[in-house]
Amino acid sequence: MAASKKAVLGPLVGAVDQGTSSTRFLVFNSKTAELLSHHQVEIKQEFPREGWVEQDPKEILHSVYECIEKTCEKLGQLNIDISNIKAIGVSNQRETTVVWDRITGEPLYNAVVWLDLRTQSTVESLSKRIPGNNNFVKSKTGLPLSTYFSAVKLRWLLDNVRKVQKAVEEKRALFGTIDSWLIWSLTGGVNGGVHCTDVTNASRTMLFNIHSLEWDKQLCEFFGIPMEILPNVRSSSEIYGLMKISHSLKAGALEGVPISGCLGDQSAALVGQMCFQIGQAKNTYGTGCFLLCNTGHKCVFSDHGLLTTVAYKLGRDKPVYYALEGSVAIAGAVIRWLRDNLGIIKTSEEIEKLAKEVGTSYGCYFVPAFSGLYAPYWEPSARGIICGLTQFTNKCHIAFAALEAVCFQTREILDAMNRDCGIPLSHLQVDGGMTSNKILMQLQADILYIPVVKPSMPETTALGAAMAAGAAEGVGVWSLEPEDLSAVTMERFEPQINAEESEIRYSTWKKAVMKSMGWVTTQSPESGIP
């Protein structure tokens, strides 16, 4: 029985999904897209000062090894032969910036996370140097100048961290987003590790020309970034290198397996949701919230605060696809904050129970602008507020208001997307960890006033990375032809409140957003290392 079971499965593909709050390794059947097994590890975030967010790159790397090892053990218990894993894809939190030493393999500073705000003064001084009539940064990158993107984080590291400066002077420094750090480490590190990134991650650094698909000399000069520390840019689906895990014996079973897919997490989710047609969109509910709409082979620039970004390029000779993206900094992070900072829930799942008890926020509104506001405002001076409080308000109302905040923020982005694309979305495809919360999903349908559609397997980010890896030239175990893509079962949430009530709540939310702005007037001193 066991032998025949092993034979039936056919080729498998693994995916590393390295997110802001956790790391996972998942293994899929390449013929049916079925998830066979996975393991997840939570990642620590460090807040050395107000507005600073860091992670330990070595902890991130070890969490990847641990997830690979534990998943391989679980497959063994299921009697599934791990030698059937033919390729591995990587998907990652985007913009988070790592600089490491190519001789020792050691990170030269903690990873500066995308949410981090320490670069506000860097952004202010740089923006003074952009001519008002020619915003070459935005026209080349599709991005507004903001603390969010890697170039300003890298600039801060070069200005403030002596170890980084010294390594650059001595030509020992390598820069990368998390995908580059992982691929370099997994393909051998100091022993021949491959220093590369893909077009989707490169397009979030603010150093990459999204038209020519190359690092841009003018941008690198503007930010003062030496080009020799940048990774090679490749497509999202090709063999980058082979796994070398000498130090970890159990996971050594994957030695020699090609790493052949790489996509920033939001692009990976777009692929995993099969949004291959122009106008198809998905929203991912993770630490933040990210709505991407496929705009095909042309860059669409937004008039309403959305970003223009590379969606994917699934092969060296395949065409590039672009997307419009609405980014919300704080979604799932607000639940983690209620858990870790306020202690009103012990586990993230508990929020659903609290919200269900009251079924309303009772006029309480929560704007979680912990890192300023991203789309559609791009307002770094905003900070979080909870307003509309009365003596009647309790923790259940605050929990409900937190869930509503995620939905209202999505509605703001969807409105902007509809205005930019001209064709309103008829439904919203959703994925990500928070979508298991049924109250959140119903609230989202009510506030958008369109159906919300969720695949039964919510791990679409990992699925997208696995598809890219399995479809790569030289691997060829996953077909991306429309007729071969497995039909996905969906759960639908229809709007249940009247449109008028939905509008009243939304306009009150917008009033709260206005009150959250302009909160920070002077920047706290940012230089120096704590």
Side-chain angles (χ1 to χ4, degrees):
M1 175 67 204
S4 67
K5 187 176 172 188
K6 279 181 187 176
V8 173
L9 275 171
L12 312 179
V13 178
V16 172
D17 178 4
Q18 205 299 299
T20 317
S21 51
S22 69
T23 299
R24 304 178 184 67
F25 184 69
L26 307 90
V27 173
F28 296 92
N29 179 332
S30 68
K31 296 293 170 239
T32 61
E34 175 198 1
L35 174 59
L36 299 175
S37 185
H38 68 103
H39 188 75
Q40 176 170 355
V41 172
E42 196 167 301
I43 298 283
K44 279 203 289 292
Q45 292 179 21
E46 297 169 31
F47 306 98
R49 294 188 185 185
E50 192 198 339
W52 292 31
V53 191
E54 297 180 359
Q55 289 176 330
D56 177 354
K58 288 173 85 170
E59 184 196 342
I60 289 174
L61 180 60
H62 290 307
S63 73
V64 170
Y65 286 133
E66 186 183 340
C67 288
I68 291 175
E69 204 162 287
K70 292 281 199 290
T71 305
C72 288
E73 281 171 20
K74 290 176 185 178
L75 288 170
Q77 289 156 8
L78 293 169
N79 229 346
I80 296 170
D81 189 348
I82 54 176
S83 68
N84 284 334
I85 297 176
K86 301 302 178 201
I88 289 169
V90 173
S91 136
N92 56 287
Q93 52 168 317
R94 302 171 305 168
E95 298 94 17
T96 296
T97 299
V98 189
V99 181
W100 68 96
D101 185 320
R102 64 184 175 82
I103 310 291
T104 64
E106 290 296 307
L108 297 165
Y109 190 74
N110 270 345
V112 180
V113 178
W114 57 278
L115 282 165
D116 186 280
L117 288 178
R118 77 186 67 186
T119 53
Q120 190 48 45
S121 61
T122 311
V123 168
E124 283 162 15
S125 63
L126 286 167
S127 58
K128 292 192 182 95
R129 292 176 31 214
I130 297 178
N133 58 351
N134 168 22
N135 188 342
F136 66 93
V137 176
K138 187 157 194 213
S139 58
K140 287 181 178 213
T141 65
L143 310 173
L145 193 56
S146 159
T147 57
Y148 181 17
F149 307 106
S150 316
V152 288
K153 302 180 193 302
L154 183 49
R155 183 66 258 155
W156 186 92
L157 290 167
L158 291 167
D159 288 338
N160 293 284
V161 183
R162 183 66 196 120
K163 270 170 89 172
V164 172
Q165 294 161 352
K166 200 163 177 309
V168 169
E169 286 157 18
E170 294 170 9
K171 306 253 183 282
R172 286 183 290 113
L174 295 178
F175 152 79
T177 41
I178 295 294
D179 55 306
S180 300
W181 164 242
L182 293 180
I183 291 172
W184 184 81
S185 303
L186 293 171
T187 54
V190 293
N191 301 310
V194 177
H195 187 219
C196 70
T197 187
D198 88 302
V199 286
T200 67
N201 281 297
S203 79
R204 313 297 292 189
T205 58
M206 239 177 181
L207 300 169
F208 185 72
N209 187 315
I210 60 175
H211 312 284
S212 67
L213 301 185
E214 293 173 328
W215 297 122
D216 189 286
K217 199 160 176 294
Q218 186 190 9
L219 290 169
C220 290
E221 282 167 6
F222 176 71
F223 288 105
I225 307 295
M227 289 181 86
E228 64 269 16
I229 71 173
L230 304 178
N232 287 322
V233 184
R234 314 273 285 268
S235 78
S236 313
S237 174
E238 59 178 87
I239 295 174
Y240 312 111
L242 307 180
M243 289 282 278
K244 284 190 195 160
I245 328 185
S246 40
H247 75 274
S248 162
L249 295 173
K250 285 186 220 155
L254 298 184
E255 194 86 28
V257 175
I259 299 179
S260 52
C262 178
L263 290 150
D265 51 11
Q266 304 313 322
S267 286
L270 193 74
V271 171
Q273 284 266 31
M274 327 279 173
C275 294
F276 294 126
Q277 306 297 313
I278 293 180
Q280 282 186 298
K282 65 88 205 169
N283 196 28
T284 300
Y285 298 75
T287 297
C289 220
F290 301 89
L291 180 58
L292 267 70
C293 179
N294 188 332
T295 62
H297 302 311
K298 67 172 205 279
C299 291
V300 175
F301 284 89
S302 168
D303 298 321
H304 301 100
L306 304 179
L307 311 176
T308 306
T309 200
V310 175
Y312 51 82
K313 183 181 187 309
L314 294 173
R316 205 174 304 183
D317 306 319
K318 295 286 197 299
V320 66
Y321 279 75
Y322 295 96
L324 267 179
E325 170 173 337
S327 332
V328 166
I330 304 288
V334 74
I335 316 292
R336 192 166 171 163
W337 181 82
L338 290 173
R339 183 193 75 184
D340 297 349
N341 294 32
L342 293 197
I344 68 174
I345 47 175
K346 288 206 168 42
T347 66
S348 300
E349 291 69 43
E350 250 177 77
I351 190 145
E352 195 171 356
K353 217 166 63 223
L354 287 187
K356 201 170 181 171
E357 265 176 53
V358 284
T360 166
S361 68
Y362 205 79
C364 166
Y365 287 82
F366 190 160
V367 182
F370 299 158
S371 296
L373 287 166
Y374 284 11
Y377 301 103
W378 297 103
E379 188 43 78
S381 71
R383 285 297 176 272
I385 60 167
I386 302 176
C387 53
L389 300 176
T390 67
Q391 282 177 308
F392 183 71
T393 312
N394 63 29
K395 65 180 182 180
C396 299
H397 299 119
I398 290 173
F400 195 94
L403 294 182
E404 256 187 339
V406 175
C407 302
F408 286 132
Q409 292 184 104
T410 299
R411 164 84 191 261
E412 294 200 281
I413 290 176
L414 196 77
D415 284 359
M417 196 75 78
N418 287 341
R419 289 202 290 272
D420 278 326
C421 292
I423 308 161
L425 291 179
S426 56
H427 64 274
L428 183 64
Q429 286 174 238
V430 302
D431 57 73
M434 293 181 84
T435 59
S436 58
N437 184 324
K438 288 201 176 355
I439 287 197
L440 178 75
M441 293 295 94
Q442 185 55 54
L443 260 177
Q444 188 67 86
D446 288 347
I447 287 167
L448 296 178
Y449 217 65
I450 55 172
V452 167
V453 182
K454 167 191 173 211
S456 53
M457 200 282 297
E459 299 288 358
T460 46
T461 302
L463 177 61
M467 288 164 65
E473 192 182 327
V475 178
V477 298
W478 205 306
S479 166
L480 298 182
E481 296 306 321
E483 62 274 15
D484 297 330
L485 292 170
S486 341
V488 185
T489 48
M490 297 287 193
E491 188 178 354
R492 269 177 91 86
F493 295 85
E494 301 284 344
Q496 287 177 1
I497 61 173
N498 67 36
E500 194 186 355
E501 189 190 337
S502 181
E503 287 310 314
I504 291 170
R505 277 155 68 179
Y506 183 46
S507 61
T508 314
W509 154 263
K510 290 192 120 161
K511 209 161 88 182
V513 171
M514 290 304 148
K515 294 197 185 311
S516 76
M517 289 190 195
W519 197 258
V520 181
T521 45
T522 53
Q523 276 306 315
S524 49
E526 292 167 346
S527 54
I529 307 299

